[in-house]
Amino acid sequence: MILVGAGGHALSLAEFASEKIEGYLAKEENIGMPGQYFGDDSRRENWIEKGKTFHVAYIYSGLPRMNVREKLIETYRQSGAEFETLISPTAIITPNSKIGKGSAVMQGTIINRSKIGENCVLNSGAIIEHDCEIGDNTFIGPGAVVGGFTKIGRNCFIGLGAKVGNGLVIGDNITVAMGAVVSKNLIEPGIYHGNPLRLFKC
């Protein structure tokens, strides 16, 4: 498998998936990464032709840009790439849960009878309670808790330690700030933070 990215998230994946990682594609080499540095994204087709699978490990720091990550994933997909799911051995996933291709389930995450989309990131210690649906390319931050029967759209970013109540709906392209408490549906795209939550459009 070829990892796409060499930042903090990629290094965290390598903590439990190093045996699967043959090498990585990134803008520049990181000597802390396992495997061989294969160059930047322009080299992807060489490895697609050789039948290698990929896992996109780019998480953009600062203001979340999940749409940028989505475009990168789509570039690989259009080139014919297949994506591999990575799941930490310390994650707890109940038998009736479904995890989409290309997603990462990190250390200590709990998923209880829920459906996770493609190319999602469920970060360390996140809890996804029963009967939830998480859309493609959505990031659930470390220690975030999503209550049962909740639906979260695609390209969302749920910040570190955020709490999302039972049975709520969060639309596409929404960021919930670190530590926020969500007690009502969030439909309009943008960044929600504060107590009570306020919307700041991107």
Side-chain angles (χ1 to χ4, degrees):
M1 181 199 70
I2 310 297
L3 207 59
V4 182
H9 181 58
L11 290 166
S12 294
L13 288 167
E15 290 291 310
F16 64 84
S18 60
E19 292 182 0
K20 292 185 175 182
I21 300 170
E22 181 175 345
Y24 63 99
L25 297 169
K27 292 180 180 178
E28 56 188 30
E29 186 174 6
N30 182 342
I31 59 172
M33 286 290 294
Q36 185 178 347
Y37 176 54
F38 293 138
D40 62 20
D41 292 327
S42 65
R43 294 294 197 64
R44 65 185 177 275
E45 293 187 4
N46 296 336
W47 298 102
I48 292 171
E49 290 174 0
K50 294 178 181 179
K52 302 297 183 181
T53 58
F54 296 83
H55 183 92
V56 176
Y58 277 121
I59 302 294
Y60 295 89
S61 59
L63 183 66
R65 294 185 291 166
M66 300 308 287
N67 60 330
V68 176
R69 187 173 188 272
E70 181 185 46
K71 288 177 182 177
L72 176 64
I73 291 166
E74 188 57 28
T75 298
Y76 273 78
R77 183 179 284 116
Q78 289 180 0
S79 296
E82 292 290 331
F83 299 104
E84 185 158 341
T85 302
L86 296 178
I87 299 175
S88 168
T90 64
I92 298 172
I93 303 173
T94 62
N96 289 315
S97 295
K98 296 181 180 179
I99 313 296
K101 283 186 178 181
S103 289
V105 182
M106 305 300 288
Q107 293 90 332
T109 295
I110 299 173
I111 302 173
N112 182 7
R113 202 175 70 231
S114 289
K115 181 179 179 182
I116 310 301
E118 296 185 359
N119 297 294
C120 292
V121 177
L122 282 70
N123 224 317
S124 305
I127 298 174
I128 310 298
E129 262 304 338
H130 60 86
D131 303 290
C132 290
E133 294 182 18
I134 309 296
D136 295 346
N137 191 42
T138 282
F139 177 95
I140 308 294
V145 178
V146 179
F149 293 104
T150 292
K151 294 184 178 181
I152 299 177
R154 63 186 297 122
N155 300 333
C156 291
F157 187 100
I158 309 301
L160 184 154
K163 304 287 191 294
V164 182
N166 295 331
L168 297 179
V169 175
I170 295 178
D172 298 340
N173 303 302
I174 286 175
T175 291
V176 174
M178 175 178 67
V181 177
V182 181
S183 58
K184 63 180 181 179
N185 294 341
L186 305 179
I187 304 301
E188 188 174 356
I191 301 171
Y192 290 81
H193 67 85
N195 185 16
L197 283 183
R198 292 177 293 163
L199 170 62
F200 289 80
K201 294 185 180 180
C202 301

